[in-house]
Amino acid sequence: MTQVTERGTPLSAAPRAGVRRRSPAAAACVVGGAVAAGLGLGFLAVLVIVLWISSPYPDSGPGGALHLAAGLWLLAHGTELVRYDTLSGVPAPVGVTPLLLVALPVLLIRRAARLGSAAEEEDEEVLPAGAVFSAVLCGYLAVGALATAYAAGGPMSADPISAAWHVPLVAVLAAAGGVWAARGRPLGPLPSWVPGGVRRAIVRPRYALALRAGAGGALVLLGGGALVVGASLAWHGAEVQASFLSLTGVWSGRFAVLLLALTLIPNAMIWGAAYALGPGFALGSDTTATPLGFPGAPGLPRFPLLAALPSEGPGTPLTWAVAVVPVVAGLAVGWFAVRRAREVSYGETALTAALGAVVCGLVTAGLAAAAAGPMGSGRLAVFGPVWWATGAAAFAWTGALAVPVAVAVHAWRTRPAMGPAAPDGEDPVDDGWHDSGVREVRWAAMRKAAGTLIPDIAVAPAVASAVAPAVAPAAEPAVVPVAVPVPVNVPAPAPVAGRVRRAVTVVSGLDLDPGLLPAKPAGPVSAPLAPPVVGARVLARRKPPPE
């Protein structure tokens, strides 16, 4: 027999039965991003194909419909489209993005990022947040590049430069939001590459309150814009209906117009907010609609939302009344900028309100930029609110109102507590402990933690007036002293000369029926055998040491 002395290459162990092979999580995230983009494209493709089939006079074949669907998918990301078949022969850009259509890719990307960050089983591999974000983004952008190339041969091709930064921007924000939501929305410390001064400043409550106040003011402006648009549609109902019916006579065309109008409702809300703020919105390079007047725009296309524009001519008290919207927004910013603490100074409150106004102006400017864009060449190259003018107006309105409102609300919340009134001829009662605010803060925290365990305290006027004279000093017969336990190292407070006694507070809800207690035999009260012990110290009982 020959013995083998050299070591050979060890054979790989055979796979154990019952152990499932793990799937590559990174590849699954890439596929998830690609599927999210495909679902958005498929939804729009099905919608366009249905409208193309139901149209009695289609302009092109199914290939043209699919190219149009790809263009609409890119438009949902904010990409500017270019229309070449114009009457003048000059290419006309289409840059007004229906903001409701943006929700489709955002929700799909966010869902893909959340699914990539979650593990269905315990033994399944979970990638870090950065890996999930990058993988989903790669899959989505790959499909986006293919869609951009495919839409170039359709009736409305996408501008490559516009698509190169709009599609990644929407994908990055949506994927980051999905990963953050999957991780439980953590609000931990900022990364180490952020400067230390910025990290220390961000954690202050001032900036969180400013963000909340600015977001509240922006929401109030959007709600006011929606009210302005709704009132204008109701006021010009006949013109809106005539414009809707005159565009097309078939149900498929009217359904398409209705869908387009619905997707433009968020844009109309932002336009209404810009109108209420004062700068208004542009309907061309030389036409602007403001509350002070509207010169008219004869070259506008027929569309139901455009039929609800204000009447031509100078402003009226009805159009001036829209100034209520920014006033309410300023009040909201001032209200939300106040902290519920007495140690905050008035300067800190005013600074927080001013920062909230800055946040509201920035948010409004961003929304105005997203809701506007070109609708053609020449006069229609400017269409919608001007973002910098709208943001500056929002900052001016909210800043001018929020700072005084915040200071006034802070002064009202931190006003001194109403102590007992001093008798005539005596000095006022020194009630600094009740005026400090510590008692109110601690009592509110106790009530919040205890829930319904602490009963509501109410003062009965009749009972309080009957009990109050009883505590006044008066000549009474000798009373047998009763031992009262006093906490250790806490001496009983000595009476202060000149301090007015407080009325006894009766707690409602306690049933102290004497009939429930055992009866005691009536008889003379005898003095105790030993004087009461006050301030006794109780020692814990110790076990004897083991022998």
Side-chain angles (χ1 to χ4, degrees), residues 52-66:
W52 173 79
I53 293 174
S54 58
S55 177
Y57 307 104
D59 295 336
S60 59
L66 293 178

Side-chain angles (χ1 to χ4, degrees), residues 61-145:
L66 293 178
H67 283 86
L68 181 60
L72 290 178
W73 184 80
L74 294 172
L75 182 63
H77 295 78
T79 303
E80 185 176 299
L81 304 181
V82 181
R83 186 164 53 92
Y84 292 98
D85 52 345
T86 58
L87 296 178
S88 61
V90 179
V94 178
V96 178
T97 302
L99 294 182
L100 191 60
L101 196 61
V102 180
L104 177 64
V106 169
L107 292 178
L108 290 174
I109 302 173
R110 189 172 182 271
R111 179 179 176 273
R114 292 191 63 179
L115 292 178
S117 302
E120 298 180 358
E121 300 179 3
E122 296 181 357
D123 60 341
E124 188 174 356
E125 182 183 3
V126 179
L127 293 177
V132 173
F133 171 79
S134 303
V136 172
L137 206 60
C138 289
Y140 193 88
L141 293 181
V143 178

Side-chain angles (χ1 to χ4, degrees), residues 153-464:
M156 297 180 66
S157 62
D159 185 7
I161 299 178
S162 179
W165 70 275
H166 278 100
V167 176
L169 178 62
V170 174
V172 165
L173 295 178
V179 173
W180 181 62
R183 302 294 176 176
R185 297 179 177 88
L187 298 176
L190 295 177
S192 58
W193 52 267
V194 179
V198 176
R199 284 184 290 176
R200 288 190 297 270
I202 289 297
V203 297
R204 295 179 181 177
R206 173 198 307 165
Y207 299 100
L209 285 175
L211 289 176
R212 184 186 68 173
L219 288 177
V220 172
L221 287 177
L222 290 179
L227 291 178
V228 170
V229 173
S232 182
L233 288 173
W235 186 267
H236 302 85
E239 293 85 348
V240 172
Q241 182 180 4
S243 175
F244 178 75
L245 297 177
S246 62
L247 285 176
T248 179
V250 296
W251 68 269
S252 59
R254 292 178 179 177
F255 182 69
V257 172
L258 180 61
L259 286 180
L260 181 59
L262 291 178
T263 56
L264 288 172
I265 285 180
N267 302 62
M269 294 170 57
I270 300 173
W271 287 34
Y275 182 83
L277 286 169
F281 46 87
L283 297 173
S285 57
D286 54 352
T287 304
T288 304
T290 65
L292 300 179
F294 177 50
L300 290 177
R302 292 180 299 174
F303 195 70
L305 292 179
L306 295 178
L309 292 174
S311 304
E312 299 182 11
T316 61
L318 187 61
T319 59
W320 301 339
V322 297
V324 178
V325 175
V327 170
V328 177
L331 296 179
V333 172
W335 177 267
F336 288 115
V338 181
R339 291 178 58 188
R340 296 182 177 272
R342 290 178 178 266
E343 65 271 11
V344 181
S345 62
Y346 290 101
E348 178 73 13
T349 302
L351 180 59
T352 305
L355 291 176
V358 172
V359 173
C360 182
L362 293 177
V363 172
T364 307
L367 292 176
M375 284 297 294
S377 58
R379 293 180 61 255
L380 295 180
V382 181
F383 204 76
V386 182
W387 65 270
W388 61 267
T390 306
F395 168 71
W397 275 100
T398 55
L401 295 172
V403 174
V405 168
V407 173
V409 172
H410 179 65
W412 173 257
R413 290 180 178 177
T414 58
R415 67 190 185 279
M418 299 300 295
D424 297 338
E426 296 186 8
D427 296 335
V429 179
D430 184 13
D431 202 14
W433 184 80
H434 289 81
D435 295 343
S436 63
V438 179
R439 181 176 64 90
E440 291 87 344
V441 174
R442 291 182 178 177
W443 178 250
M446 291 174 59
R447 288 295 303 272
K448 184 178 180 181
T452 58
L453 297 179
I454 300 180
D456 296 333
I457 296 179
V459 178
V463 178

Side-chain angles (χ1 to χ4, degrees), residues 474-482 524-528:
E476 297 180 356
V479 181
V480 178
V482 181
V525 179
S526 59

